[in-house]
């Protein structure tokens, strides 16, 4: 039962990643990220009960609180303040983006079978999904122009890494996980501050305009 | 244990005091004094290690072996030099009204915080804490890169942060996979991520997971070290960061990231033999040296020139470590030491030249700086002589050691390419230096540069020059012992 829940949530995370790729409204993309983080938290809770690892509950609470609620709220506030709500036409159009991501999912699943824990059961799906999400995050990062979308891509990659940690290990030691979460929060705040400064100076969040430095 | 903890505590206290409002002189004294105490304490920690003990704290999460002690002392030294130079640098900028009090406070807190993160990197025995500390250096340096708040600073800071965070996400994935490779062997809890434990149990780790983890970790930490092809943030960040912060990145972050690479390499070496991760380091190192060559030949900006020189040097170190022979390892670690001692001179003299001309572009600084700023130009030429590995200075000997060990080993073709690149780099660097320093004074009417004055920044630049020259002929006994101890760690000793 729990096993099925884990697989369902992992699949849900993959779906949110696909929707993010096919999405242009920034606030929808941010909500999708929040949903993705909450699903990650649910995976952690389910694993805490199936494998009797109570410390995963704490990390689940951390994930849902910080990444499911706080970061999306902070990003929403950022785009509200600067008043930019839509991603402009990406470098690769949406249908081809989705097709490429389909290919990336196949690659992610193929690689996951080589790992120690990736052979069978729920772990196979969890690792497969997380590696696919990692590749899709990278893809988003190189094809999108808005600063906030790039932050979301980075955060998706980070969620993918946490999902690998859940699937392939028994979860990182709690102290380490706390430290990592703290760093992620600070990173998002720093990114937010930088977006403000960029918008102030350039009156745009289009990072493809950041192209003076060459050679 | 106590000295080690105090070593980390000192820069943190300095950073906290740096935030408080205070007269300028007190802030300067706090910055330089705090970083000076940090250096003394880290020398004390290294002394404890040389005395035969293994300083450790927090249940072995922090632990000092030979490699840690070497990087610790070098990082603290660079921290002090950077802090001392920043006094004169900021006074000059202050005089032009370029630095607001808020920015000033930011700077006074960020520099010691950066030093803290560097020291934490060098002593952490836990792969999780290692990652956290490296991430901390990234976040701190973003603000240092964006310090001047120009269009280009924001561009550089954005690229740096996005690329750095991406690299660190890879490094985190690498760490997770290393941890996963020991599932069922390492156990749970904090100690499961201890480097010493991973090395001790290396033979029982799952090989394929480990390999994947090593690749991700090498790419991730390689991004921070600025190994090609992940080096693209470096020229932008170095150009925009104020010179005192630039040297922290060019030496501190470089040493720290290389230290992370070495720790990962040593786990892989114990588990899979030297060929796998050694080959990765060798390849990336050679690629870095090769990529730096054309960009130095066509360079148009003084600080970007230094950035590509830094790509070259990290490439040389990675190559030396990747060759795997004990002599090459010694050469690489010696190179790291000499590079740390020489690079501040290059950054400080170049920083002074750029500050006097209010730009770091060659076109703006123009030919013939020797006539306008003789001391800074002469010191920059000296730095160029040292940095390009000319005899009789230290980097010449370390490069020769690596070359000799390389030609004796199986990778002669790679080493031959490396040698050719070194020759080209030497010519390219001096072509650029000659273009800048020598030549007639420009006739075109343009804003006259500020006259060179002997101020606090000049004094520190001179001191860095003395350090770079003297260290070539006389390395203190203790420092050399640390290099040897670090080589023993890399060769699998205690």
């Amino acid at each position: 039962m729990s096993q099925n829940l884990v697989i369902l949530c992992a699949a849900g995370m993959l779906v949110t990643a696909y929707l993010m790729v096919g999405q242009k409204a920034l606030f929808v993309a941010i909500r999708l990220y929040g949903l993705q983080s909450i699903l990650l938290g649910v995976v952690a809770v389910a694993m805490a009960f199936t494998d009797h690892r109570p410390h995963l509950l704490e990390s689940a609470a951390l994930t849902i609180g910080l990444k499911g609620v706080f970061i999306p709220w902070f990003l929403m506030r950022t785009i509200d303040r600067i008043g930019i709500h839509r991603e402009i036409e990406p470098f690769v159009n949406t249908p081809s983006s989705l097709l490429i991501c389909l290919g990336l999912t196949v690659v992610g699943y193929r690689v996951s079978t080589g790992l120690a824990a990736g052979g069978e059961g729920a772990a196979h799906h969890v690792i497969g999904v997380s590696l696919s999400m990692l590749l899709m995050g990278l893809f988003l990062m190189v094809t999108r122009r808005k600063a906030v979308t790039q932050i979301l891509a980075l955060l998706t990659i980070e969620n993918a890494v946490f999902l690998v940690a859940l699937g392939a290990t028994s979860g990182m030691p709690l102290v380490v996980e706390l430290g990592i979460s703290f760093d992620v929060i600070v990173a998002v705040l720093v990114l937010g501050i930088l977006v403000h400064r960029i918008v102030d100076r350039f009156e745009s969040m289009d990072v493809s305009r950041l192209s003076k430095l060459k050679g | 244990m106590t000295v080690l903890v105090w070593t980390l505590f000192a820069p943190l206290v300095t950073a906290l005091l740096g935030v408080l409002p205070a007269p300028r002189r007190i802030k300067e004294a706090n910055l330089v004094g705090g970083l000076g105490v940090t250096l003394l304490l880290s020398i004390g920690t290294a002394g404890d290690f040389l005395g035969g003990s293994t300083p450790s704290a927090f249940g072995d999460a922090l632990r000092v072996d030979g490699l840690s002690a070497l990087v610790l002392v070098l990082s603290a030294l660079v921290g002090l030099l950077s802090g001392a130079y920043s006094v004169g640098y900021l006074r000059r900028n202050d005089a032009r009204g370029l630095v607001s009090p808020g920015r000033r406070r930011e700077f006074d807190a960020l520099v010691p915080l950066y030093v803290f993160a560097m020291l934490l990197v060098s002593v952490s025995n836990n792969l999780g804490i290692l990652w956290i500390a490296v991430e901390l250096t990234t976040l701190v340096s973003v603000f240092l890169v964006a310090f001047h708040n120009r269009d280009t600073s924001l561009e550089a800071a954005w690229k740096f942060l996005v690329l750095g965070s991406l690299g660190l996400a890879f490094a985190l994935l690498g760490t997770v996979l290393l941890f996963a490779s020991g599932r069922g062997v390492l156990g749970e809890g904090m100690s499961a991520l201890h480097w010493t434990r991973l090395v001790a149990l290396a033979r029982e780790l799952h090989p394929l997971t480990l390999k994947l983890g090593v690749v991700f970790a090498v790419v991730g930490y390689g991004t921070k070290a600025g190994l090609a092809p992940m080096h693209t943030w470096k020229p932008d960040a170095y150009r925009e960061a104020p010179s005192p912060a630039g040297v922290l990145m060019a030496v501190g972050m470089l040493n720290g990231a290389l230290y992370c690479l070495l720790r990962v390499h040593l786990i892989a070496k114990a588990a899979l033999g030297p060929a796998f991760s050694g080959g990765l380091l060798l390849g990336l190192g050679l690629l870095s040296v090769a990529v730096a060559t054309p960009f130095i030949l066509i360079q148009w900006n003084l600080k970007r020139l230094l950035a590509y020189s830094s790509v070259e040097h990290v490439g040389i170190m990675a190559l030396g470590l990747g060759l795997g022979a004990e002599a090459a390892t010694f050469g690489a670690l010696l190179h790291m030491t000499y590079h740390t001692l020489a690079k501040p001179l290059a950054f400080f003299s170049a920083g002074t030249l750029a500050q006097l001309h209010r730009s770091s572009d060659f076109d703006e600084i123009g030919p013939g700086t020797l006539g306008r700023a003789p001391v800074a130009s002469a010191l920059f030429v000296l730095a160029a002589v040292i940095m390009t590995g000319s005899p009789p200075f230290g980097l010449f000997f370390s490069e020769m050691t690596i070359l000799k060990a390389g030609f004796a080993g199986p990778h002669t073709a790679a080493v031959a390419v490396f040698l050719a690149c070194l020759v080209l780099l030497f010519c390219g660097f001096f072509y650029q230096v000659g273009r800048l320093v020598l030549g007639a004074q420009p006739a075109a009417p343009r804003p006259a540069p500020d006259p060179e004055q002997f101020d606090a920044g000049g004094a520190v630049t001179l001191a860095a020059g003395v350090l770079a020259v003297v260290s070539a002929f006389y390395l203190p006994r203790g420092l050399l012992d640390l290099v040897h101890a670090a080589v023993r760690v890399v060769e699998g000793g205690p």
Side-chain angles (χ1 to χ4, degrees), chain A residues 114 116-117 141 150 154 157 165 168-171 173 179-180 183 186 191 197 201 207 210-215, chain B residues 103 132 135 146 149 151 154-155 158 161-162 165-166 172 176 179-180 183 188-189 206 208-209 236 239 300 304 308:
Chain A
M141 187 143 227
Q150 291 203 339
L154 204 59
I157 292 173
T169 73
S170 42
I180 292 170
D183 270 352
V186 179
L191 282 159
R197 284 206 204 169
R201 296 284 307 198
V207 287
L210 301 178
S211 59
K212 273 197 192 148
L213 296 172
K214 285 199 178 95
Chain B
R103 273 300 146 82
I132 292 167
E135 169 87 19
N149 214 22
D151 292 3
L154 291 175
E155 178 182 343
W158 180 259
L161 184 57
V162 168
S165 308
L166 197 59
L172 183 62
V176 166
F179 184 51
R183 195 181 192 185
E188 286 186 25
H206 184 267
L208 207 63
T209 313
D236 301 346
R239 176 176 180 230
W300 51 272
R304 292 174 80 91
Y308 282 108

Side-chain angles (χ1 to χ4, degrees), chain B residues 269-451:
Chain B
K269 194 169 129 185
L272 309 161
F276 180 65
S277 53
L280 276 176
L281 286 178
L282 181 71
L284 290 175
L286 188 62
L287 186 64
S288 306
V289 178
V291 163
T293 312
F295 283 100
I296 280 186
L297 284 168
I298 59 157
Q299 200 40 254
W300 51 272
N301 180 289
L302 184 54
K303 289 188 178 174
R304 292 174 80 91
L305 184 72
L306 292 181
Y308 282 108
S309 153
S310 151
V311 173
E312 171 210 348
H313 284 286
V314 74
I316 295 175
M317 292 175 221
L319 184 126
L321 293 168
L323 284 172
E326 188 172 346
T329 306
F330 175 71
L333 292 172
L334 197 64
H335 197 85
M336 182 197 228
T337 310
Y338 281 131
H339 179 253
T340 307
L341 293 166
K343 197 82 179 203
L345 174 64
F347 261 87
F348 298 165
S349 51
T352 306
L353 283 179
Q355 228 176 3
L356 292 176
H357 295 82
R358 304 187 180 211
S359 167
S360 57
D361 295 353
F362 286 156
D363 287 346
E364 301 285 322
I365 304 179
T369 56
L370 200 58
R372 288 175 307 237
V375 179
S377 304
L379 285 172
F380 183 65
V381 172
L382 174 67
V385 170
I386 298 177
M387 298 300 302
T388 47
S390 322
F393 296 103
L395 290 172
F396 172 72
F397 288 107
S398 52
E399 282 173 11
M400 281 309 280
T401 312
I402 296 172
L403 282 170
K404 189 160 164 267
F407 278 122
H411 303 291
T412 40
V415 181
V417 174
F418 168 58
L419 180 58
C421 288
L422 278 185
V423 174
L424 277 175
L425 277 165
F426 180 87
C427 303
F429 209 89
F430 273 102
Y431 162 68
Q432 300 291 5
V433 171
R435 201 155 78 101
L436 184 74
V437 173
L438 306 174
Q441 297 292 329
R446 54 178 192 189
D450 300 350

Side-chain angles (χ1 to χ4, degrees), chain A residues 144-206:
Chain A
R144 297 306 161 93
R145 298 190 216 186
K146 291 286 184 204
V148 169
T149 324
Q150 291 203 339
I151 299 180
L152 285 174
L154 204 59
L155 287 167
T156 303
I157 292 173
E158 206 261 319
N159 267 354
V161 173
F162 266 76
L163 195 61
V164 177
L166 282 175
T169 73
S170 42
M172 303 283 268
L174 189 65
V175 185
V176 173
E177 203 154 301
L178 280 175
I180 292 170
S181 299
F182 172 75
D183 270 352
V184 170
I185 293 298
V186 179
V188 172
L189 294 179
V190 171
L191 282 159
I193 293 170
L194 214 53
V195 169
H196 269 289
R197 284 206 204 169
I198 289 174
V199 172
D200 277 352
R201 296 284 307 198
F202 293 85
E203 292 170 353
S204 154
M205 195 169 63
D206 183 353

Side-chain angles (χ1 to χ4, degrees), chain A residues 6-163:
Chain A
V6 167
I7 295 174
L8 184 70
C9 289
M13 288 177 74
L14 191 62
V15 172
T16 58
Y18 269 101
L19 290 175
M20 224 186 259
V21 171
Q23 193 49 247
K24 274 193 199 151
L26 287 177
F27 73 96
V28 179
I30 294 173
R31 294 228 173 101
L32 282 170
Y33 167 73
L35 179 64
Q36 188 184 74
S37 307
I38 290 170
L39 287 171
L40 178 64
V42 176
V43 171
V45 171
M47 286 201 157
F49 285 113
T50 35
D51 306 0
H52 306 290
R53 293 188 302 230
H55 73 273
L56 282 183
L57 285 178
E58 291 152 48
S59 89
L62 207 65
T63 305
I64 293 176
L66 290 179
K67 294 189 217 156
V69 179
F70 174 74
I71 293 182
W73 171 79
F74 177 77
L75 290 177
M76 285 290 199
R77 212 186 57 143
T78 306
I79 60 166
D80 263 353
R81 284 232 180 131
I82 57 190
I84 294 171
H85 294 287
R86 288 188 74 75
E87 173 67 77
I88 39 178
E89 192 56 36
F91 295 120
V92 180
N93 66 27
T94 311
S96 4
S97 293
L98 287 171
L99 275 177
I100 291 172
C101 287
L102 202 64
L104 294 177
T105 310
V106 175
V107 173
Y109 258 84
R110 181 68 194 86
V111 172
S112 74
T113 50
L115 293 180
E120 74 297 320
H124 168 62
H125 293 290
V126 169
I127 298 175
V129 163
S130 50
L131 291 180
S132 315
M133 272 173 60
L134 183 92
L135 295 171
M136 284 164 67
L138 283 174
F139 175 75
L140 264 182
M141 187 143 227
V142 294
T143 53
R144 297 306 161 93
R145 298 190 216 186
K146 291 286 184 204
V148 169
T149 324
Q150 291 203 339
I151 299 180
L152 285 174
L154 204 59
L155 287 167
T156 303
I157 292 173
E158 206 261 319
N159 267 354
V161 173
F162 266 76
L163 195 61

